Amino acid sequence: MSVALLWVVSPCEVSNGTGFLESVREGNRFFDSSRHRNLVSNERINRGGGKQTNNGRKFSVRSAIVATPSGERTMTSEQMVYDVVLRQAALVKRQLRSTDELEVKPDIPVPGNLGLLSEAYDRCGEVCAEYAKTFNLGTMLMTPERRRAIWAIYVWCRRTDELVDGPNASYITPAALDRWEDRLEDVFNGRPFDMLDGALSDTVSNFPVDIQPFRDMIEGMRMDLRKSRYKNFDELYLYCYYVAGTVGLMSVPIMGIAPESKATTESVYNAALALGIANQLTNILRDVGEDARRGRVYLPQDELAQAGLSDEDIFAGRVTDKWRIFMKKQIHRARKFFDDAEKGVTELSAASRFPVWASLVLYRKILDEIEANDYNNFTRRAYVSKAKKLIALPIAYAKSLVPPTRTISLLS
């Protein structure tokens, strides 16, 4: 299941085959090819996964959101995710620096090369330009420091998604994801493996970006390896947080909150989370047929049953009145998350609003296209045409010019 990246664009909207993996290979071009290969085919990280303690036993810090030993959770997914939101907001409150305070660090070495860090960022920009054209255009309005940082995060998210959704996905195991998480730890500790990791390592040293949302996204990839059904929306919400809501939490410190904003930091993070959830729910509703052909159903099983539907109806691809009624409710829920997201986008720094508004406006229109297709998301893929994008983008730009509210936000 492809994730919605950076409040912005889903990899599903662009070709996701070997092209991206080739870009990763190019990203490693400073390396001795006999020692370093593509991250999917042959990682440097120890095959055992985890880290060694002094007594030789392994431990691993994984997701902050875990079940009890009996497998039961005592809080709802929304409550657990909100705890993560509060921690991220607290971090930004302590460390967030304004654009004026940001300094461009001198070029630092990246693995296998004593040359320019700027080249690593340029490569991230090339990947973003190739696979997220609309979003990349929007980043041109951002300050150079923020733009390059967003590129670095985009590339890491895309590489992570490719592990379970790319051409080599059939070879990926939980142990491989453990090694990828160990590699993430190295990035945050200033030990990047390749030039693309080097760009992210520099980014997290410049901005108050916490590692937890990155860990949680990897946990979402683990869920895709072991889980193909979701009993209820609480379970689905948690999955959406892992694979998409996390991106909003990663991005807020980079996007920045407008100095004149009176909104609470928590409310802006909640809006970022809501947009990630909305985008992923839209992905799910758009890709029902595609996912069914892979044996996956990303829809709440209890709500399907209440509507008189089952997995068999989905696999058969029957558009019935029951299905239309069910889909209307699912679309209504996604739109409510978009509504919640709108409350916070205006509070971002002026230069960062346009790419986020573009994401919100364009993704929301996918829901309109599902309706226009008479809810046939089995054999007809809903997409926003270029003509409609050209009409929508000026609207998004106009929205991005609206300044933050002057009153204190009561959002929670």
Side-chain angles (χ1 to χ4, degrees):
M1 182 72 194
S2 295
V3 303
L5 301 182
L6 296 181
W7 297 38
V8 281
V9 60
S10 162
C12 292
E13 289 191 311
V14 292
S15 59
N16 66 350
T18 57
F20 174 70
L21 293 180
E22 286 300 326
S23 73
V24 174
R25 294 188 187 99
E26 291 175 21
N28 293 338
R29 61 182 177 274
F30 291 144
F31 287 69
D32 179 349
S33 60
S34 66
R35 296 177 57 218
H36 302 283
R37 296 183 176 86
N38 175 262
L39 65 92
V40 175
S41 59
N42 185 20
E43 297 175 277
R44 178 192 66 172
I45 300 169
N46 293 334
R47 290 187 174 275
K51 298 183 183 296
Q52 296 287 340
T53 61
N54 291 336
N55 62 7
R57 296 182 63 185
K58 292 181 180 178
F59 74 94
S60 180
V61 179
R62 302 302 177 194
S63 173
I65 303 175
V66 295
T68 63
S70 64
E72 297 179 354
R73 290 184 280 108
T74 57
M75 294 189 296
T76 67
S77 293
E78 288 195 58
Q79 290 172 321
M80 289 187 292
V81 171
Y82 186 61
D83 184 56
V84 179
V85 169
L86 291 178
R87 290 200 298 272
Q88 305 311 305
L91 177 67
V92 170
K93 284 178 179 178
R94 291 194 305 269
Q95 300 179 18
L96 188 59
R97 294 166 289 183
S98 70
T99 302
D100 292 337
E101 293 172 321
L102 288 173
E103 296 180 356
V104 182
K105 289 190 174 183
D107 292 321
I108 62 174
V110 293
N113 170 52
L114 297 178
L116 304 177
L117 178 65
S118 60
E119 188 166 353
Y121 277 115
D122 289 344
R123 184 65 195 123
C124 290
E126 292 169 7
V127 174
C128 190
E130 183 176 357
Y131 293 95
K133 294 179 175 61
T134 301
F135 175 66
N136 185 65
L137 177 65
T139 64
M140 294 299 107
L141 299 178
M142 301 172 70
T143 64
E145 296 79 19
R146 295 187 191 280
R147 178 168 63 248
R148 297 189 337 159
I150 284 293
W151 287 346
I153 291 179
Y154 173 87
V155 167
W156 184 87
C157 290
R158 186 170 178 84
R159 294 173 96 181
T160 301
D161 183 50
E162 285 283 331
L163 291 174
V164 299
D165 222 31
N168 293 305
S170 59
Y171 302 102
I172 296 301
T173 64
L177 291 176
D178 289 347
R179 295 193 295 273
W180 183 243
E181 186 164 352
D182 292 337
R183 177 166 164 171
L184 173 68
E185 300 280 347
D186 287 340
V187 166
F188 271 77
N189 288 322
R191 299 190 299 271
F193 174 63
D194 62 19
M195 67 183 297
L196 298 179
D197 282 354
L200 180 62
S201 188
D202 184 65
T203 289
V204 301
S205 72
N206 278 321
F207 292 88
V209 179
D210 186 48
I211 194 173
Q212 193 58 53
F214 294 81
R215 289 176 179 147
D216 287 342
M217 176 173 277
I218 297 173
E219 183 63 24
M221 303 303 113
R222 292 191 183 97
M223 289 182 73
D224 263 335
L225 292 184
R226 67 174 184 263
K227 194 175 181 71
S228 61
R229 300 292 188 279
Y230 294 84
K231 292 189 300 184
N232 49 45
F233 184 70
D234 187 66
E235 286 193 359
L236 185 62
Y237 178 91
L238 185 59
Y239 172 75
C240 290
Y241 159 71
Y242 279 144
V243 302
T246 50
V247 184
L249 304 190
M250 298 173 195
S251 304
V252 169
I254 310 300
M255 298 287 188
I257 299 173
E260 66 272 25
S261 172
K262 301 300 182 183
T264 64
T265 305
E266 291 85 354
S267 72
V268 178
Y269 267 93
N270 272 334
L273 172 65
L275 184 52
I277 300 293
N279 283 354
Q280 190 61 24
L281 289 175
T282 301
N283 280 345
I284 289 169
L285 299 180
R286 178 192 60 191
D287 298 339
V288 169
E290 178 183 328
D291 290 330
R293 287 187 284 275
R294 300 168 59 192
R296 295 181 173 276
V297 178
Y298 291 94
L299 297 168
Q301 292 289 307
D302 61 343
E303 295 179 22
L304 282 169
Q306 290 168 10
L309 298 166
S310 65
D311 289 353
E312 286 68 30
D313 294 304
I314 294 173
F315 295 141
R318 291 191 290 264
V319 181
T320 62
D321 288 340
K322 288 182 179 180
W323 178 253
R324 292 184 183 93
I325 293 171
F326 173 78
M327 282 301 302
K328 287 178 182 178
K329 293 180 179 179
Q330 301 301 311
I331 289 173
H332 176 71
R333 172 189 284 147
R335 283 179 172 144
K336 287 184 66 176
F337 278 102
F338 279 122
D339 291 342
D340 290 340
E342 286 193 13
K343 299 172 184 177
V345 180
T346 303
E347 309 301 328
L348 296 175
S349 63
S352 300
R353 290 177 209 141
F354 176 55
V356 182
W357 270 116
S359 163
L360 195 156
V361 171
L362 292 178
Y363 247 77
R364 190 165 190 154
K365 284 188 174 298
I366 293 175
L367 300 176
D368 299 339
E369 297 301 322
I370 295 174
E371 292 172 332
N373 288 343
D374 192 28
Y375 306 98
N376 181 3
N377 42 9
F378 299 117
T379 60
R380 298 184 65 183
R381 183 180 175 85
Y383 69 96
V384 182
S385 67
K386 289 184 178 180
K388 291 181 179 179
K389 285 182 180 180
L390 290 175
I391 295 172
L393 288 177
I395 296 174
Y397 182 71
K399 288 177 177 290
S400 73
L401 300 178
V402 177
T405 57
R406 296 293 181 178
T407 57
I408 297 176
S409 173
L410 296 179
L411 302 176
S412 59

